[in-house]
Amino acid sequence: MTAPHAWPELTGIAYGGDYNPEQWPRETWREDVELMRNAGVNLVSVGIFSWALIEIAEGEFDFSWLDELLDLLHENGIAVDLGTPTASPPAWFFAEHPDARVIDRDGRVMGFGSRGMASHSAPAYREAIVRYADALAARYAQHPAVVLWHVHNEYGVPVGEDHSDHAQAAFRVWLQEKYGTLDALNSAWGTAFWGQHYTDWQHISTPTTAPSVVNPAQRLDFARFTDHQLRACFIAERDAIRAHSDRPVTTNFMANQSWTTDLWAWGREVDIVSDDHYLWAADEDAHIGLAIAADLSRSVGGGKPWILMEHSTSAVNWQPRNIAKRPGEMARNSLTHLGRGADGILFFQWRAGRSGAEKFHSAMLPHAGVDSRIFREVTALGADLQRLEAVQGSRVQAEVAILWDFESFWAQDLEWRPTDDVSHQERIRAFYERLWRDGITIDFALPGQDLSAYKLVIAPAQYLLRAADAENLTDYVESGGTLLVSYFSAVVDENDAVHPGGFLAPLRDALGVDVEEHLPLREGQTAAVTTAVGDSLNADHWQEALRLHGAEVVGTYRDGPAAGEAAITRNRRGEGTGWYVSTRLDAEGLSRLMSQVYADAAVAPAGLPEDLEVITRHGDDASYRIVINHADDDAALAATGQDLLTGIEIDDSFTIPAGGVAVIRSKKTRTT
Ligand code: GLA
């Protein structure tokens, strides 16, 4: 087989959504394709939940309706992202293979009538998904409509962990492969504690509910195993497809909304990263969470263009309060994804479904029909994206990286931590938001990767840090980088065991400080920090008793259990600088801190009004500034070039209306 294509064969930015025509009569299909063409749709995802209507009995396939549908779409110039429906096996499958059902931690067997209830370790499931992927790819590999393969749907959601007998057996095999001997496992899991020492592999189980807290190293390995099992299923399907087709294969991630899968590892397995993102309605600045997801999607794909596989035109249906998007919000959301590297903007779903659990979910074509704000905005967005064809393939560049390590998150989220108040998500968002408001573009990165391209690396929540990764961070500082580490980092190694030498010990050289004791605060208790330049910064949740090993004290606790002691430190090491922040500063405190850190790193804030989001994509001959005004007021922006959305030439500045978007192309001037 030749190497898979790097990108679907499409002209321009991909635009469309999930399409579930099996829920509708044939007349509706014809209306759909006509409306899709009017709306500028060029790509739809098909077949994601169609298993029961295609493999009608084990090994018996009826592709007739899908043949008809793909031909209809192709005749109308609409390309297909063809799904394998393995997230939702048919009723007959569970009737024949009751052992393939998922069992949760509490021993409850997951029933039928929903989705995501199959055990990814069950041999019957593994066999069935490969059979289906093989049959689908054999039939449609040469179909001209099919430009992309969409395996499964959101691995790990709604079910990730599985404690069935099949999972138990597979977990033991996985452990034997990982550790080789029981001595190695006993040592890594620290089983001398609470008398858990194992003498036989068969005695080991998945970490099901127990009378008290289950061994955290066992749980961390189970999280790794779960991720591995899900990925093995993806790889099996992908390879079955690749045996027939050279078109790219993807599966839709849930960056920043699901933590079951290690997206760095998944990013290496897919031909193209694709991501689903839904605004969290309770968050009034949900567009910042959106930006995190978009930057993470780009980062796990190594910076290549990616596809926003799903988002919503308006409200979703699964949050406590499903807030409808306001006029213009869908376009702003879409342009943020595009600005942060997406070359495809797709939705869940094309036509709102009348039946089932998702009937209150918005769609491109809502229940209200074409005479609706949503459909008018969908059509306008389709036309806008056609004007942005030149942006396709251009790249985002970042000078700052924030560390994002799923393994560390899995470990930190286990029970019996020093306080419930410490949250990796909260700290990452706090630092990201500060940089977002300063107009600084961010990549996410792993602590062990090559960081030399970044002027500044921030570790807001690196609870688990491998010794080799700590060395990498230390080398980064010694070679001239600026590293900022936030509290409750470098606490444990890869087995959730405290580092020899204590908290922060692996980063002692880089930071010139370590941690003698954690000092969590009471609920509502605050602590102020006075800086060397006389600023007073507010903090809460957490303090640490620090031991200085050469760092200078930049901030001192004024109150709380560590009153009078160091709170923020700065260490010159080699050519670079290591900062350590041992408490939870509020937004204002973080702002004051970061202005000093930026100066060390020679990173310049964009100096734009807050809530004016500007991201640059760099092409071979031109750069594209994607401008999104999230504010209620118009904003002025210095720029030269052409707004591709309006065609207007801009000389030196222009006004971007409240809630508006623009994409300004500036030709690159060649110096040679
Ligand atoms: C997920 C799924 C879709 C749909 C949407 C609804 O992203 O992939 O099938 O359920 O959520 O928001």
Side-chain angles (χ1 to χ4, degrees), residues 81-105:
D81 166 34
L82 189 52
T84 68
T86 49
S88 196
W92 61 254
F93 173 82
F94 290 105
E96 285 175 31
H97 306 286
D99 57 302
R101 289 178 296 173
V102 164
I103 298 182
D104 75 1
R105 257 197 108 197

Side-chain angles (χ1 to χ4, degrees), residues 18 48-49 115 153-154 252 254 276 278 310 316-318 348 358 361:
D18 281 24
I48 298 172
F49 292 102
R115 65 177 181 186
N153 191 63
E154 297 181 340
N252 45 342
M254 293 204 79
D276 298 350
Y278 292 96
E310 294 179 22
V316 299
N317 64 313
W318 41 264
F348 178 83
E358 296 189 318
H361 197 289

Side-chain angles (χ1 to χ4, degrees), residues 127-196:
E127 201 181 299
I129 61 175
V130 170
R131 183 177 64 235
Y132 190 101
D134 173 69
L136 188 78
R139 187 162 190 99
Y140 296 113
Q142 306 307 325
H143 197 290
V146 178
V147 297
L148 179 65
W149 299 97
H150 181 302
V151 170
H152 200 89
N153 191 63
E154 297 181 340
Y155 279 99
V157 178
V159 173
E161 284 196 2
D162 170 30
H163 299 265
S164 65
D165 287 350
H166 296 303
Q168 302 282 352
F171 186 43
R172 286 190 282 270
V173 170
W174 185 86
L175 290 171
Q176 286 185 45
E177 277 169 16
K178 175 168 180 177
Y179 291 108
T181 65
L182 274 176
D183 281 352
L185 177 137
N186 278 315
S187 162
W189 284 13
T191 55
F193 175 78
W194 277 358
Q196 292 166 4

Side-chain angles (χ1 to χ4, degrees), residues 527-531 533-539 558 585-586 588-589 592:
V529 174
T530 307
T531 69
V533 291
D535 279 345
S536 178
L537 315 179
N538 296 325
R558 210 171 55 223
L585 297 176
D586 69 4
E588 175 59 26
R592 305 260 187 92

Side-chain angles (χ1 to χ4, degrees), residues 469-488:
D469 293 350
E471 268 176 44
N472 187 53
L473 294 174
T474 306
D475 289 349
Y476 167 75
V477 173
E478 287 177 346
S479 317
T482 301
L483 172 69
L484 183 150
V485 178
S486 179
Y487 58 92
F488 203 48

